[in-house]
Amino acid sequence: MIPSGRMPLFNPIVRIALFSIISFALILLFSFIALLMLVITGQGIAPEQRFEPKQMLALTCFSYVPVLIAILICRNLLDRASFLSLGLEAHRGWQKHLFAGFLGGFTMAAVSFIGCLATGVARDLSMHVAPIKSFLFYFACLCFQSGMEELTMRGYILQNLLTRYRETSCIVTTSVLFSALHLVNFTITPSIPFSIIVVAMLNITLFGCLMALVYVRTKMLWAAIGLHWGWNFSTGFIFGSPVSGLKFDDSMLSVKWAYDSPLSGGAFGLEGSIVVTTLLCLAIIWLSRASFEAPTAWWERVKEAYEQRTPAQLNSNIICNEVEHDEHTA
């Protein structure tokens, strides 16, 4: 049963649309406030100014703050559920899930990197002592950035779709959307060959499918957050590859990449590598066949309650506490 008998308002498509509108409005508001503060403090942004990698990552994290606020608002008012019910409950061994996911992301990045070394598209390997400040900055920022992407895509959007639609179609839909949102990253390095762009879009879609499967199998977001975080941190800071087109200014390994090869992913990074395509396919096949003991998720209880309703009730936007009523009459 749904906690407190509270069913979500409206169709999930409507809820997601409202979430998108609220997010966009809050992003505009935050952007206006930021620009206003720059004007007040006498600073400005020149049209030709290029942001450094750390500035780009910091701006990305800042842009996710209004999205987080939108999730909190919509989760409470539209979904009528708790924020933690998105799969963030802290009493189910979340540390183990987060660590296992991070280790999985590191392992995928390491295998991909070794494959690039073996094929010669990564060479002249040397160690580099990165400043501790850079380590802490990338470690923390990539944790927040990865967590917010998972909270948005595999958290709010995927789970709302799962309340009414088939699992496979929800996973594919959100993964394609996740890939489409990365199109803006190609503007950072516009010289990327079209063939690498195609591979990169495919890989990001497959990565979205993998993250969705991780969540669906465990019913927790922690493993997906850890895997996403481990991949981004390892590829960018440890192995020195660009992350979705963003080349970090510090890394633990210094490598000369063959940016014209589809094996390396070019200037877009390992996300555009066909080596990663193979790894993602193998991981998806294994995970789709694996089974885990997992608790019942919020969207499963909502879907069950939806399936018990009449067509007239399903088409109504006025949600009453029918589940609560059924509990009293049972």
Side-chain angles (χ1 to χ4, degrees):
M1 288 297 181
I2 307 299
S4 304
R6 289 167 60 85
M7 290 286 288
L9 297 174
F10 313 119
N11 181 282
I13 302 297
V14 176
R15 296 197 297 272
I16 293 172
L18 290 173
F19 162 71
S20 302
I21 294 171
I22 294 173
S23 297
F24 182 70
L26 288 175
I27 289 173
L28 289 179
L29 177 61
F30 270 59
S31 300
F32 173 77
I33 293 174
L35 290 174
L36 184 61
M37 292 301 296
L38 289 175
V39 172
I40 294 175
T41 56
Q43 301 178 10
I45 300 176
E48 68 278 3
Q49 179 178 349
R50 291 184 62 86
F51 292 102
E52 297 297 325
K54 289 181 179 178
Q55 293 176 322
M56 288 288 295
L57 186 55
L59 287 173
T60 300
C61 291
F62 177 78
S63 68
Y64 273 121
V65 173
V67 177
L68 176 60
I69 296 174
I71 292 176
L72 290 169
I73 293 172
C74 294
R75 191 63 174 170
N76 182 57
L77 298 181
L78 300 180
D79 299 350
R80 306 210 294 182
S82 70
F83 176 74
L84 295 180
S85 65
L86 285 169
L88 297 172
E89 289 88 347
H91 60 278
R92 299 177 184 168
W94 65 273
Q95 301 96 329
K96 294 181 180 179
H97 284 255
L98 185 65
F99 176 76
F102 188 92
L103 184 61
F106 169 80
T107 302
M108 286 185 60
V111 172
S112 303
F113 180 71
I114 292 172
C116 290
L117 286 176
T119 54
V121 294
R123 57 187 186 275
D124 299 338
L125 175 65
S126 62
M127 293 290 295
H128 176 254
V129 180
I132 187 65
K133 290 183 179 179
S134 292
F135 170 83
L136 294 175
F137 175 84
Y138 286 117
F139 193 78
C141 284
L142 290 172
C143 176
F144 182 73
Q145 172 261 333
S146 301
M148 281 306 306
E149 288 192 7
E150 292 308 309
L151 187 60
T152 304
M153 299 305 305
R154 264 63 67 176
Y156 194 85
I157 295 178
L158 174 63
Q159 292 181 42
N160 266 284
L161 289 175
L162 285 170
T163 61
R164 292 286 291 273
Y165 305 108
R166 296 182 62 179
E167 183 179 295
T168 301
S169 60
C170 294
I171 290 175
V172 172
T173 300
T174 54
S175 300
V176 171
L177 175 60
F178 178 66
S179 180
L181 292 175
H182 282 75
L183 283 171
V184 68
N185 292 67
F186 293 105
T187 61
I188 302 174
T189 50
S191 60
I192 298 176
F194 180 74
S195 59
I196 292 181
I197 293 177
V198 172
V199 176
M201 295 298 290
L202 172 63
N203 283 348
I204 296 173
T205 302
L206 291 173
F207 188 80
C209 290
L210 179 62
M211 295 299 97
L213 280 173
V214 168
Y215 166 73
V216 169
R217 292 293 179 268
T218 63
K219 303 299 192 307
M220 295 179 68
L221 277 178
W222 295 110
I225 291 172
L227 201 156
H228 198 152
W229 179 24
W231 169 264
N232 285 350
F233 182 77
S234 300
T235 54
F237 187 78
I238 296 178
F239 300 117
S241 168
V243 179
S244 298
L246 181 64
K247 177 68 174 177
F248 294 177
D249 50 7
D250 288 306
S251 61
M252 295 178 64
L253 297 178
S254 178
V255 186
K256 183 179 291 186
W257 294 90
Y259 281 158
D260 58 345
S261 172
L263 288 172
S264 69
F268 194 72
L270 287 174
E271 286 100 331
S273 170
I274 58 177
V275 175
V276 175
T277 308
T278 304
L279 284 177
L280 287 172
C281 289
L282 291 174
I284 289 172
I285 292 173
W286 174 79
L287 198 57
S288 61
R289 296 180 177 180
S291 60
F292 300 89
E293 290 187 7
T296 303
W298 164 82
W299 56 268
E300 290 179 307
R301 296 192 294 269
V302 173
K303 189 170 187 177
E304 181 182 0
Y306 271 133
E307 291 172 349
Q308 295 174 357
R309 292 185 162 203
T310 65
Q313 291 170 334
L314 285 175
N315 294 328
S316 174
N317 285 331
I318 302 175
I319 307 298
C320 57
N321 289 339
E322 292 158 314
V323 178
E324 199 173 70
H325 174 74
D326 291 342
E327 290 176 345
H328 290 312
T329 57

